């Protein structure tokens, strides 16, 4: 295996970029992107790729040996093994948009759907109105699928949709007969990964060289979005109930492009493989494409091939496919959100109204409720210790969770250990548990910032999380007595009130670092402690099911919701679905309580935490008005961002000349208004299309951000059989005389039945504009 320049830590389950060092003079895989395909015959397109490569290399044989993939369905391009000088020659060719070295990517329910108001028990909701998403096809680019999982049974599922052109590809321990009327497609893409990693041993790898899933991530995401009904499923008695996906009769197509690397213990996905998977998905006929993958900050412009997902997604959206992507797991830091192109539906992760309280009883009979997924036997009153130097020895003691291994074993043997950590990753918890267990300890209590990920410890070892305040209470108790003891009881499941909904700490936040005027994320969805199917090979699998967390889990929740909406509105554009979801979202939880954003200090959630709010698919089915967009709107965005006209032209497949002066990015017809640098005032335009009753009248209601005036013209919109779409202007003025942070408000169109709400985010930047103008 070739040397890695850097290895990023696995954060929950989102995919992060991984690069590889290679000598500059050796052949390596490059992606040659040619933009929109110029011919409808894929064989003709592929032949043109071979001709281009033959002209460069001097023979058809060399071209054949060099070619890795031909991208011929959704767009035109190819992946080939080239030297740096050969790549440069191709890049200089006028018909080539980009040539870029390949890179690798590493990988970034029961209650969910009831919580979102889509209970199967209710006969009068979107789930039943759409026949549970029947005939809609959801594609997943991920780690594969475990086809025998009950979540992919085809009981009660009708014939395969007529628009499906794909199939199931045989491979290691996977045959076409593993597919059925539910799991209708399964392909795998490894050529790019193998070309870049010649030392990868396909015969010794624990991963399957087929569409079969080894680590379970792809199985989990697919079953969240479109899993069939599976009765009486729980995780060791927790989070139990009847399990299903959001669209339980939608069809599932798997595109495996991510591979487990045994030597590193990570999953890596080649960009060339991902692009080929997207190309095939466009050909096969998927309606929705879900990707729990991403890059890393700093982001690349959308016309730069290094943002492979944005490039592939552009072509998919142009063909009417809704592309849903995870927003990233680098929260709660600002400006960390990924997959920010305006044609992508980007998802943040929130909690459910469910928790797993775990009673901790101290020797003074005080009971503290921690959080855990502990299902073992009650641990009766046991010695409790916080490792610290008593002051009469030179020996090292540490109460820091990551350093518990520095303590003498006798300090922890036969005891429950209290430790503190500032680490945001679950690895701090699992490492502390492993240290205590190795020393003969019986359990560990971890004091940490509240809101971080909750995962069972290995072998169901008692590990309970509490916040710093409660941790300090436990520490004070330990110091107050000579023989401190504690009792730990098994975790319980608590659903509904008083458990509040929060944006998860790990969920990446806006504003958008590549284009701040484009609000990201778009929407929030449950992504914490999600129970779904997995591979039995997964270390944490219990009966083929697992509880995972991440925006990787939130994205397929939205994919499932979109599948239901697609079944109801088959002719809507991808932008229409995004608009309907954003403008109807919950801004309070289903109980009417405020939604908070977890972090170093909890705050009320704002659009940079969860976009429009938490998805409310039932309301999104009848949004009233939509902010629609098409290819011309995306071209307006690309021009406003200052991208090269030639690159835009080849991306969209038509000659594009941007207006002079260039258009304003504030006029992109998004279901949001984000102004990152307001000095005095600015006027912007939006257009709404009526998808409700033909004769409708809407009036505007504005909640302006603090210190901001918002004037909408006209204040009333009238729709009838002749007037389907109406434009309006928004004048935004600041009263601030200093630079400010972002302040938030909303703009609502209401006809007393529909409330079409978009978030408004404004930052006054007087000093920055002064330097821009002088």
């Amino acid at each position: 295996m070739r040397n890695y320049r850097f290895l990023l830590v696995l954060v929950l389950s989102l995919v992060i970029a991984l690069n590889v060092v290679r000598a500059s003079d050796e052949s390596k895989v490059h992606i040659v992107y040619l933009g929109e395909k110029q011919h409808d015959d894929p064989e003709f397109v592929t032949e043109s790729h071979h001709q281009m490569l033959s002209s460069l290399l001097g023979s058809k044989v060399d071209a054949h040996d060099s070619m890795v993939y031909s991208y011929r369905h959704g767009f035109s391009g190819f992946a080939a093994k080239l030297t740096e000088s050969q790549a440069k020659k191709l890049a200089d060719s006028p018909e080539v948009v980009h040539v870029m070295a390949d890179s690798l990517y590493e990988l970034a329910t029961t209650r969910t759907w009831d919580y979102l108001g889509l209970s199967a028990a209710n006969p009068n909701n979107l789930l039943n109105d759409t026949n549970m998403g029947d005939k809609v096809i959801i594609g997943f680019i991920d780690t594969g699928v475990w086809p025998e999982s009950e979540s992919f049974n085809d009981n009660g599922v009708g014939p395969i949709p007529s628009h499906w052109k794909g199939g199931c590809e045989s491979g290691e321990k996977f045959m076409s007969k593993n597919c059925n009327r539910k799991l209708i497609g399964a392909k795998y893409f490894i050529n790019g990964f193998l070309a870049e990693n010649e030392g990868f041993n396909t015969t010794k790898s624990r991963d399957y060289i087929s569409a079969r899933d080894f680590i379970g991530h792809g199985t989990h995401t697919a079953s969240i979005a479109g899993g069939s009904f599976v009765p009486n499923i729980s995780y060791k008695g927790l989070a139990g109930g009847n399990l299903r996906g959001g669209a339980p009769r939608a069809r599932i197509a798997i595109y495996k492009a991510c591979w487990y690397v045994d030597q590193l213990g990570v999953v890596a996905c080649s960009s060339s493989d991902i692009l080929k998977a997207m190309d095939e998905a466009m050909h096969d006929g998927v309606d929705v494409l879900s990707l729990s993958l991403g890059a890393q900050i700093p982001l690349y412009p959308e016309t730069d091939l290094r943002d492979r997902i944005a490039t592939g997604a552009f072509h998919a959206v142009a063909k009417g496919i809704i592309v849903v992507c995870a927003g990233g797991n680098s929260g709660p830091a600002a400006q960390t959100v990924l997959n920010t192109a305006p044609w992508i539906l980007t998802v943040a992760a929130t909690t459910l109204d469910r928790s797993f309280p775990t009673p901790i009883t101290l020797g003074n009979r005080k009971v503290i409720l921690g959080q855990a997924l502990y299902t073992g036997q009650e641990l009766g009153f046991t010695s409790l210790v916080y490792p610290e130097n008593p002051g009469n020895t030179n020996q090292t003691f540490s109460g820091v969770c990551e350093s518990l291994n520095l303590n003498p074993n006798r300090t922890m043997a036969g005891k429950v250990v209290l430790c503190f950590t500032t680490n945001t990753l679950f690895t701090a918890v699992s490492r502390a548990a492993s240290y205590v267990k190795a020393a003969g300890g019986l359990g560990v209590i971890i004091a940490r910032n509240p809101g971080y990920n909750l995962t069972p410890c290995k072998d169901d070892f008692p590990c309970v999380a509490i916040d710093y305040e409660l941790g300090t209470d436990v520490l004070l108790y330990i110091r107050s007595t000579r023989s401190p003891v504690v009792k730990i009881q098994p975790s319980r499941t608590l659903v509904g009130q008083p458990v509040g909904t929060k944006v998860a700490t790990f969920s990446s936040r806006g504003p958008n670092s590549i284009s701040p005027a484009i609000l990201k994320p778009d929407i929030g969805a449950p992504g914490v402690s999600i129970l779904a199917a997995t591979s039995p090979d997964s270390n944490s699998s219990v009966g083929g099911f697992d509880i995972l967390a991440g925006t990787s889990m939130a994205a397929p929740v939205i994919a499932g919701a979109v599948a239901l909406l697609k079944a109801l509105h088959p002719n809507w554009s991808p932008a229409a679905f995004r608009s309907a979801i954003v403008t109807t979202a919950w801004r309070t939880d289903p109980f009417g309580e405020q939604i908070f954003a977890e972090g170093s200090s909890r705050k009320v959630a704002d659009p940079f935490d969860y976009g429009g709010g938490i998805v409310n698919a039932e309301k999104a089915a009848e949004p009233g008005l939509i902010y629609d967009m098409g290819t011309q709107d995306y071209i307006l965005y690309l021009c406003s961002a200052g991208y090269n006209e030639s690159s835009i032209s080849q991306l969209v497949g038509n000659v594009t000349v941007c207006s002079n002066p260039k258009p304003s990015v504030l006029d992109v017809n998004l279901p949001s208004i984000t102004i990152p640098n307001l000095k005095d005032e600015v006027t912007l335009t939006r257009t709404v299309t009526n998808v409700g009753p033909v004769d409708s009248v809407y009036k505007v209601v504005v909640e302006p951000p603090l210190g901001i005036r918002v004037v909408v013209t006209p204040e009333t919109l009238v729709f009838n059989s002749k007037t389907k779409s109406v434009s309006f202007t928004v004048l935004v003025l600041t009263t601030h005389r200093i630079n400010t942070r972002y302040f938030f408000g909303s703009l609502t169109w209401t006809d007393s039945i529909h409330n079409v709400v978009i978030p408004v985010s404004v930052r006054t930047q007087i000093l920055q504009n002064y330097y821009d103008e002088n």
Side-chain angles (χ1 to χ4, degrees):
M1 174 89 44
R2 303 169 190 235
N3 294 328
Y4 286 83
R5 186 183 304 154
F6 57 81
L7 177 61
L8 299 176
V9 177
L10 179 62
V11 183
L12 300 177
S13 58
L14 180 76
V15 182
I16 322 169
L18 189 69
N19 291 325
V20 181
V21 171
R22 307 173 187 89
S24 60
D25 58 344
E26 72 174 308
S27 293
K28 56 186 178 182
V29 176
H30 287 74
I31 299 171
V32 181
Y33 177 62
L34 304 173
E36 185 69 24
K37 59 189 176 72
Q38 301 299 313
H39 202 284
D40 290 334
D41 183 351
E43 297 300 329
F44 182 91
V45 176
T46 295
E47 178 59 27
S48 69
H49 298 161
H50 278 280
Q51 289 178 3
M52 181 179 288
L53 203 51
S54 297
S55 298
L56 175 74
L57 302 180
S59 77
K60 291 184 177 180
V61 174
D62 288 344
H64 181 272
D65 292 342
S66 172
M67 185 75 76
V68 176
Y69 286 122
S70 172
Y71 307 122
R72 57 187 194 166
H73 299 299
F75 52 93
S76 180
F78 57 88
K81 289 182 281 187
L82 304 169
T83 64
E84 291 291 343
S85 59
Q86 291 167 343
K88 188 176 185 308
K89 285 182 182 179
L90 275 179
D92 293 337
S93 176
E95 63 263 46
V96 173
V97 179
H98 285 300
V99 176
M100 189 58 55
D102 200 1
S103 66
L104 296 180
Y105 282 68
E106 178 193 277
L107 281 174
T109 148
T110 46
R111 178 62 187 161
T112 302
W113 303 105
D114 288 346
Y115 166 78
L116 294 176
L118 293 173
S119 172
N122 182 356
N124 300 312
N125 65 9
L126 177 65
L127 185 67
N128 291 295
D129 290 345
T130 62
N131 196 19
M132 304 184 189
D134 188 30
K135 300 191 184 307
V136 176
I137 303 168
I138 312 175
F140 299 86
I141 299 178
D142 214 297
T143 63
V145 66
W146 193 265
E148 293 83 5
S149 171
E150 271 300 298
S151 286
F152 307 119
N153 75 75
D154 61 358
N155 298 334
V157 177
I160 293 173
S162 59
H163 67 282
W164 176 244
K165 299 177 183 177
C168 286
E169 185 178 4
S170 296
E172 183 182 357
K173 295 188 177 180
F174 196 106
M175 301 178 66
S176 58
K177 68 179 182 181
N178 287 126
C179 290
N180 55 25
R181 295 189 308 275
K182 176 68 176 178
L183 178 62
I184 63 173
K187 297 180 179 181
Y188 66 100
F189 307 90
I190 194 172
N191 291 352
F193 177 78
L194 292 179
E196 291 295 275
N197 299 276
E198 295 171 357
F200 182 81
N201 192 321
T202 57
T203 58
K204 292 183 178 180
S205 170
R206 289 192 289 168
D207 203 344
Y208 303 97
I209 310 305
S210 70
R212 184 172 291 277
D213 191 3
F214 173 68
I215 69 162
H217 188 273
T219 302
H220 203 270
T221 57
S223 64
I224 289 170
S228 298
F229 283 94
V230 185
N232 302 319
I233 295 298
S234 69
Y235 187 88
K236 300 181 180 179
L238 295 174
N242 296 322
L243 189 68
R244 67 172 177 85
R249 286 188 181 160
R251 314 311 167 88
I252 290 173
I254 298 297
Y255 301 87
K256 181 176 178 179
C258 301
W259 302 90
Y260 183 73
V261 184
D262 298 78
Q263 297 95 318
L264 301 174
V266 300
V267 174
C269 323
S270 162
S271 295
S272 56
D273 293 334
I274 292 171
L275 274 177
K276 184 60 178 175
M278 297 179 83
D279 186 46
E280 287 292 312
M282 287 180 242
H283 166 267
D284 291 346
V286 302
D287 300 299
V288 183
L289 193 55
S290 181
L291 296 91
S292 291
L293 318 173
Q296 65 171 154
I297 302 296
L299 303 179
Y300 293 110
E302 292 89 344
T303 58
D304 192 320
L305 188 59
R306 284 173 289 188
D307 189 348
R308 282 79 170 183
I309 291 176
T311 302
F314 180 90
H315 293 284
V317 168
K319 290 169 176 55
I321 300 169
I322 306 102
V323 180
V324 181
C325 290
N329 293 344
S330 299
Q335 299 180 322
T336 54
V337 65
L338 307 175
N339 294 316
T340 58
W343 45 85
I344 291 174
L345 183 48
T346 309
V347 187
T350 67
T351 65
L352 290 163
D353 60 337
R354 180 176 66 193
S355 67
F356 303 99
T358 307
I360 301 169
T361 306
L362 304 178
N364 59 8
R365 301 299 173 181
K366 180 175 181 179
V367 179
I368 292 173
L369 289 180
Q371 288 286 310
L373 291 172
Y374 172 57
T375 60
Q377 297 295 314
E378 177 181 304
L379 184 63
F381 280 108
T382 303
S383 293
L384 175 64
V385 64
Y386 173 72
E388 59 182 336
N389 195 322
N392 56 3
T393 176
N394 291 326
Q395 210 161 8
T396 298
F397 292 87
S398 177
V400 176
C401 297
E402 296 88 330
S403 303
L404 289 178
N405 60 322
L406 300 178
N407 298 300
N409 285 351
R410 67 177 185 277
T411 305
M412 301 185 287
K415 301 173 183 176
V416 174
V417 178
L418 170 70
C419 68
F420 287 74
T421 182
T422 58
N423 196 313
T424 63
L425 304 180
F426 180 74
T427 50
V429 175
S430 59
R431 189 175 294 122
S434 66
Y435 291 154
V436 172
K437 185 177 181 181
L442 300 180
V444 61
I445 299 171
I446 299 100
R448 61 177 185 167
N449 193 292
Y452 292 129
N453 187 35
L454 195 63
T455 304
C457 285
K458 190 175 181 181
D459 300 325
D460 210 12
F461 186 75
C463 58
V464 186
I466 56 178
D467 64 24
Y468 294 132
E469 180 182 347
L470 293 176
T472 302
D473 288 344
V474 175
L475 179 58
L476 293 176
Y477 160 70
I478 291 172
R479 289 172 173 170
S480 70
T481 178
R482 290 187 176 183
S483 302
V485 293
V486 67
K487 177 173 67 175
I488 299 177
Q489 296 173 255
S491 304
R492 305 167 185 174
T493 302
L494 181 63
V495 173
Q497 294 174 300
V499 181
T501 301
K502 301 173 286 293
V503 178
T505 304
F506 60 76
S507 186
S508 291
R509 310 296 211 265
N512 182 339
S513 64
I514 193 73
S515 186
I518 306 298
L519 178 64
K520 293 289 174 174
D522 293 296
I523 195 69
V528 176
S529 300
I530 304 298
L531 176 64
T534 190
S535 164
D537 291 327
S538 169
N539 290 333
S540 54
S541 171
V542 176
F545 295 89
D546 199 359
I547 289 179
L548 296 177
T551 53
S552 282
M553 282 65 251
V557 170
I558 296 299
V562 168
L564 296 178
L565 296 171
K566 177 72 173 179
L568 191 66
H569 302 290
N571 298 320
W572 276 11
S573 70
F577 290 106
R578 190 252 302 275
S579 175
I581 285 174
V582 170
T583 60
T584 60
W586 277 304
R587 287 156 186 82
T588 59
D589 73 11
F591 305 111
E593 299 289 339
Q594 281 188 317
I595 298 170
F596 286 86
E598 292 281 16
S600 56
S601 60
R602 184 183 294 183
K603 66 178 183 66
V604 176
D606 62 49
F608 294 148
D609 299 314
Y610 63 3
I614 296 177
V615 61
N616 182 350
E618 194 70 39
K619 286 284 188 183
E622 297 181 7
L625 305 176
I626 57 170
Y627 293 78
D628 208 357
M629 295 176 69
T631 300
Q632 289 304 314
D633 297 278
Y634 301 131
I635 292 173
L636 182 150
Y637 163 70
L638 295 170
C639 287
S640 71
Y643 293 137
N644 180 282
E645 288 179 352
S646 175
S647 294
I648 298 173
S649 298
Q650 292 186 292
L651 177 67
V652 303
N654 296 304
V655 175
T656 300
V657 178
C658 296
S659 62
N660 187 14
K662 69 181 182 181
S664 169
V665 69
L666 299 180
D667 288 329
V668 178
N669 204 43
L670 295 166
S672 60
I673 295 173
T674 308
I675 305 175
N677 54 355
L678 181 63
K679 180 181 178 182
D680 295 312
E681 64 180 61
V682 67
T683 299
L684 55 94
T685 302
R686 290 289 185 273
T687 300
V688 288
T689 301
N690 182 24
V691 293
V694 173
D695 296 309
S696 298
V697 177
Y698 284 82
K699 295 184 180 298
V700 72
V701 177
V702 174
E703 293 184 10
L706 180 67
I708 302 295
R709 287 187 58 213
V710 179
V711 180
V712 179
T713 306
E715 296 182 349
T716 301
L717 304 180
V718 180
F719 298 91
N720 52 45
S721 59
K722 294 183 178 180
T723 304
K724 303 284 183 67
S725 298
V726 177
S727 297
F728 62 93
T729 61
V730 184
L731 173 64
V732 184
L733 310 93
T734 181
T735 63
H736 297 289
R737 299 273 64 90
I738 61 171
N739 286 4
T740 70
R741 63 179 179 86
Y742 278 96
F743 292 107
F744 305 98
S746 63
L747 187 158
T748 303
W749 290 106
T750 180
D751 65 352
S752 300
I753 297 174
H754 305 94
N755 292 312
V756 187
V757 187
I758 64 172
V760 178
S761 312
V762 181
R763 179 176 63 179
T764 300
Q765 289 284 280
I766 295 171
L767 185 61
Q768 179 63 45
N769 278 281
Y770 173 83
Y771 283 118
D772 286 346
E773 294 171 5
N774 293 273

